[in-house]
Amino acid sequence: MATIGDVAREAGVSRSTASYALSGKRPISEEVRRRVLAAAEALAYTPNAGARALATSRTKVLGLLARFYTDEFAPAMMQYIQGVTDTARDLGYDTLLVTDEDGARALRRITDSRMVDGVVLMNIAQDDPRLPILRAASQPGATVGLPGDCSGIDVFDLDFEEAGRAMVDHLHRLGHRELILISQPEHVVERGGAYVWRLRDAALERARQCGVTLHAVYGESRQPAVGRLLHTLLDTYPSATGLLVNNEAAAAALPSVAHERGLRVPEDLSVIGRYSAEFAAAFSLPYSFVESAPDRLGSMAVRQLVRRVESAAARREPFVVRFISPELVSRGSTTPPRATRPRTPAR
Amino acid sequence: MATIGDVAREAGVSRSTASYALSGKRPISEEVRRRVLAAAEALAYTPNAGARALATSRTKVLGLLARFYTDEFAPAMMQYIQGVTDTARDLGYDTLLVTDEDGARALRRITDSRMVDGVVLMNIAQDDPRLPILRAASQPGATVGLPGDCSGIDVFDLDFEEAGRAMVDHLHRLGHRELILISQPEHVVERGGAYVWRLRDAALERARQCGVTLHAVYGESRQPAVGRLLHTLLDTYPSATGLLVNNEAAAAALPSVAHERGLRVPEDLSVIGRYSAEFAAAFSLPYSFVESAPDRLGSMAVRQLVRRVESAAARREPFVVRFISPELVSRGSTTPPRATRPRTPAR
DNA sequence: CTGAAAGCGCTTACAG
DNA sequence: CTGAAAGCGCTTACAG
């Protein structure tokens, strides 16, 4: 591969001039610039990334720490990753994907060795062992997901509490008085997935406030267990008129379960899910849902990270905890409950 | 961060001695080695990756070029990626994940700048524009997926032709004489996904040879279209007794379709799928299937790649095209067809 | 506007 | 067994 020395020789200038002509960091005569660019083009010159990193202390690489848990829904994970890699690329960064089981150790490795300019953490746990390491690192870090302690990092997440309240409010306003909430499996919570109980607790609290009975249960993450659970729930609470689904697998299983029971949505049961539009499309889910916006969250985390990487001023700004407001996307799967529904059908 | 100079000073030796003590590349007195290791430990020394790459021309990073197409099933993609990242890590490599739309350009960028020691290409097309660039690169490359021209690279794939034949043979031996094969959507083929017609053509050929009627159709990749298509197919070919499914979305949709039609598997219809065990588990698919082994393929590609990276001798070996033999995992979803089924049920 | 030189942090022949 | 030095390929203050 051609080096900057080759380019300089070809253009008949010094290496520093070649470098400046290429970077534009100081004025270069039009004639010389032309010769350097032509030489670089002719030799197909590409700077050596290691050498540049050594000289500038910048790698133009971001670390992405993610785990692919088999009990979390893969398509959602892919969207977060896509959001991160796409935005990083737009901003001129490549992405080092790290899926090590020991995330703390891996994080230390990539930051201490200066392989990356910044780090995005996914699959955040309430008490995440990677956070102390990230705080001690010299590179900035951002998380997708809300940890217990947000100090020293930028945090991005869906406002799950607001999502829980919005779901309850929506059905309460329509006249529902008894609802079921099916959450992620309990072991997701045990692993530290705070988003599960954030939505759940807020929904329970809001339900209490407005006199709605809310049966909140943890779900399963796989077929057929999750389908069986849905049947059981609908059997157990026959007077419940609305179903809130904070569990992708349950949402995906619901159409067949409804079909098997001859249950019409929304006539017999109002349904609101919480997942991404992409997920809804993949499974053609016919339910209104709170958009979880994985691509947007990944993108936001990267943008903030890159700001801190590239600007000393930005690096001194206070850390942020930014929530995306839940957006309820209507698919017509909610309606007033049977009991209070007007004689004339709503149009 | 501490440098090797800091470690050397702390240990009271030269930088070269510190380096050798750490790498073990030449004999060091026990006493000195101890001091150096202690100093490195005390200073939490981690070599600077850029400096090391510059000095050794090795980055210990592999490139992984993958696309997340919305019409390909995300969970399968995740397994390939996991296979690659896990194996890379086991062998001491990190993974640069590149999802650029313009894969050829991205590939040139990461190879020319020497960010990676080798590259794994996924989502291989019959005439893949990345391959000429990979062949011209100085780093070795491997693909998961069979391109039209395999020269200059190592290729790993499931033997889709053998899979097609195995599916037909299996049902033919049981006495079936009319089968349906539902493949991936046609636009996957148009994008260059040769594996679709490799399985299809081989199945058709084998069917012809053994006098089996095979209705081969391209499928859909999304609900509810794929479900509707399954209904249509079963309506159109009422005398078909077996269904071959080379389409993940169709496989996932089949249980509800069968339920809706009151169709029993295998009593009324024998079924064989082609997907991974992990996929089968996620959707609890009750069908016998040809294991597509995504994690194993990703792992094999990385192993071969690393061999070539680390050994000049291995780098001179002839390039390989390695097929995984399809393994038919029985889940009891096939049986002799109604017409010819013996009175006494098979045990 | 341009060049010669130092320096980033490693590794590894070369000398002893 | 150990050290002084060169070199990997960049960038960027320093000088002119």
Side-chain angles (χ1 to χ4, degrees):
Chain A
M1 280 297 340
T3 71
I4 189 120
D6 300 326
V7 173
R9 192 175 322 113
E10 176 83 9
V13 298
S14 72
R15 299 194 306 154
S16 58
T17 299
S19 177
Y20 283 120
L22 257 16
S23 71
K25 287 192 182 170
R26 79 178 184 191
I28 298 283
S29 72
E30 196 43 43
E31 158 64 5
V32 166
R33 137 166 287 123
R34 212 192 316 276
R35 289 214 312 270
V36 170
L37 294 186
E41 173 80 9
L43 300 173
Y45 169 70
T46 308
N48 179 297
R52 177 171 276 180
L54 186 56
T56 63
S57 303
R58 288 287 163 75
T59 63
K60 288 287 187 175
V61 174
L62 301 180
L64 171 58
L65 272 87
R67 295 295 313 275
F68 300 157
Y69 293 115
T70 51
D71 58 359
E72 284 184 343
F73 215 82
M77 216 38 215
M78 296 274 283
Q79 289 179 70
Y80 284 109
I81 294 179
Q82 180 97 52
V84 167
T85 58
D86 281 356
T87 304
R89 186 89 299 279
D90 283 350
L91 301 176
Y93 288 77
D94 277 300
T95 304
L96 198 73
L97 174 66
V98 178
T99 59
D100 291 32
E101 198 173 327
D102 187 345
R105 200 179 149 76
L107 177 57
R108 175 128 50 194
R109 174 166 48 77
I110 66 171
T111 53
D112 281 1
S113 67
R114 327 229 81 162
M115 299 179 79
V116 295
D117 292 340
V119 177
V120 176
L121 260 46
M122 308 237 311
N123 317 84
I124 295 296
Q126 176 68 9
D127 184 18
D128 200 302
R130 298 169 298 181
L131 290 180
I133 289 166
L134 186 52
R135 290 192 191 98
S138 51
Q139 297 96 329
T143 69
V144 175
L146 176 69
D149 176 1
C150 296
S151 62
I153 47 168
D154 293 311
V155 172
F156 299 86
D157 205 355
L158 178 69
D159 190 338
F160 280 93
E161 304 187 354
E162 188 54 36
R165 286 189 289 267
M167 289 167 129
V168 170
D169 281 347
H170 180 86
L171 291 182
H172 173 248
R173 255 183 254 118
L174 286 173
H176 293 260
R177 293 298 174 263
E178 183 177 354
L179 307 174
I180 302 171
L181 165 63
I182 178 166
S183 302
Q184 307 282 5
E186 202 149 8
H187 54 262
V188 172
V189 180
E190 281 155 16
R191 203 163 55 215
Y195 65 98
V196 180
W197 53 256
R198 277 160 56 211
L199 187 148
R200 185 177 191 267
D201 289 358
L204 281 167
E205 164 83 8
R206 176 55 52 95
R208 207 174 42 69
Q209 287 168 354
C210 56
V212 166
T213 302
L214 180 65
H215 307 288
V217 299
Y218 294 108
E220 301 284 340
S221 58
R222 292 211 157 180
Q223 283 286 11
V226 70
R228 278 199 301 265
L229 176 62
L230 284 167
H231 276 297
T232 304
L233 285 174
L234 294 167
D235 289 339
T236 309
Y237 306 111
S239 51
T241 56
L243 178 63
L244 311 179
V245 188
N246 184 28
N247 177 323
E248 271 110 344
L254 188 52
S256 346
V257 168
H259 183 267
E260 283 160 19
R261 305 176 69 90
L263 198 67
R264 290 165 307 158
V265 174
E267 291 82 354
D268 305 321
L269 184 73
S270 286
V271 174
I272 307 180
R274 197 279 313 155
Y275 39 73
S276 71
E278 175 64 26
F279 182 87
F283 291 86
S284 289
L285 297 184
Y287 312 121
S288 301
F289 64 98
V290 172
E291 165 64 72
S292 56
D295 45 351
R296 212 171 123 216
L297 283 166
S299 179
M300 286 171 73
V302 168
R303 282 181 201 289
Q304 173 73 346
L305 197 52
V306 168
R307 282 191 61 238
R308 292 212 190 260
V309 167
E310 300 192 340
S311 148
R315 203 153 35 247
R316 284 188 300 268
E317 290 172 10
F319 295 101
V320 304
V321 178
R322 200 154 288 159
F323 290 114
I324 291 190
S325 298
E327 181 199 350
L328 185 59
V329 180
S330 177
R331 289 276 196 272
S333 66
T334 64
T335 197
R338 291 212 148 237
T340 68
R341 190 155 44 160
R343 289 282 157 74
T344 50
R347 27 168 270 124
Chain B
M1 282 298 341
T3 71
I4 189 118
D6 299 327
V7 173
R9 192 175 322 111
E10 176 83 8
V13 298
S14 72
R15 297 195 307 152
S16 57
T17 298
S19 178
Y20 283 120
L22 257 16
S23 71
K25 286 192 183 170
R26 80 177 184 190
I28 298 284
S29 72
E30 197 43 43
E31 159 64 7
V32 168
R33 136 165 290 122
R34 212 193 315 278
R35 288 213 313 271
V36 171
L37 294 186
E41 172 80 9
L43 299 173
Y45 168 70
T46 308
N48 179 298
R52 175 171 277 181
L54 186 55
T56 63
S57 303
R58 288 286 163 75
T59 63
K60 289 286 187 175
V61 174
L62 301 180
L64 171 57
L65 272 87
R67 296 293 314 275
F68 301 157
Y69 293 114
T70 50
D71 59 0
E72 285 183 343
F73 216 83
M77 221 29 221
M78 296 274 282
Q79 289 179 70
Y80 284 110
I81 294 177
Q82 180 97 53
V84 168
T85 57
D86 281 356
T87 304
R89 187 88 300 281
D90 284 349
L91 300 176
Y93 287 76
D94 276 301
T95 303
L96 198 73
L97 175 66
V98 176
T99 60
D100 291 33
E101 199 173 326
D102 187 344
R105 202 180 148 74
L107 178 57
R108 175 128 50 193
R109 174 166 48 77
I110 65 170
T111 52
D112 281 2
S113 66
R114 326 229 83 162
M115 299 179 79
V116 296
D117 292 339
V119 177
V120 176
L121 261 46
M122 309 235 312
N123 316 86
I124 295 296
Q126 175 68 9
D127 184 18
D128 200 301
R130 298 169 298 180
L131 289 180
I133 290 166
L134 186 52
R135 291 192 191 98
S138 50
Q139 298 95 330
T143 69
V144 174
L146 176 68
D149 175 1
C150 296
S151 62
I153 48 169
D154 293 311
V155 172
F156 299 85
D157 205 357
L158 179 69
D159 190 338
F160 280 92
E161 305 189 354
E162 188 54 36
R165 286 189 288 267
M167 290 166 129
V168 171
D169 282 347
H170 180 85
L171 292 182
H172 173 248
R173 256 184 252 119
L174 286 172
H176 293 260
R177 293 298 173 263
E178 184 177 353
L179 307 173
I180 301 171
L181 166 63
I182 178 166
S183 303
Q184 308 280 5
E186 202 150 8
H187 54 262
V188 171
V189 179
E190 281 154 18
R191 202 162 56 215
Y195 65 97
V196 181
W197 53 255
R198 276 161 57 210
L199 187 148
R200 185 177 191 267
D201 290 358
L204 281 167
E205 164 84 8
R206 176 55 54 96
R208 206 173 43 68
Q209 287 167 354
C210 55
V212 166
T213 302
L214 179 66
H215 308 288
V217 299
Y218 294 108
E220 301 284 340
S221 58
R222 291 211 158 179
Q223 284 286 12
V226 69
R228 278 199 301 265
L229 176 62
L230 283 168
H231 276 296
T232 304
L233 285 174
L234 294 168
D235 288 340
T236 308
Y237 307 111
S239 51
T241 55
L243 178 63
L244 310 179
V245 189
N246 184 28
N247 177 324
E248 269 112 344
L254 188 53
S256 345
V257 169
H259 183 266
E260 283 159 21
R261 304 177 70 90
L263 198 66
R264 291 164 306 159
V265 174
E267 291 82 354
D268 305 322
L269 184 72
S270 286
V271 174
I272 308 180
R274 196 280 311 155
Y275 40 72
S276 71
E278 175 65 26
F279 182 87
F283 290 88
S284 289
L285 297 184
Y287 312 122
S288 300
F289 64 98
V290 172
E291 166 64 72
S292 57
D295 45 350
R296 211 171 124 215
L297 282 166
S299 179
M300 285 171 73
V302 169
R303 281 179 202 288
Q304 173 73 345
L305 197 53
V306 170
R307 281 191 63 237
R308 290 210 191 262
V309 167
E310 300 191 340
S311 147
R315 201 151 39 244
R316 284 188 300 268
E317 290 172 11
F319 296 101
V320 304
V321 178
R322 200 155 288 159
F323 291 115
I324 291 191
S325 298
E327 180 199 351
L328 185 60
V329 180
S330 176
R331 289 276 197 272
S333 66
T334 64
T335 197
R338 291 212 148 236
T340 67
R341 190 153 44 159
R343 290 280 158 71
T344 50
R347 27 168 272 122

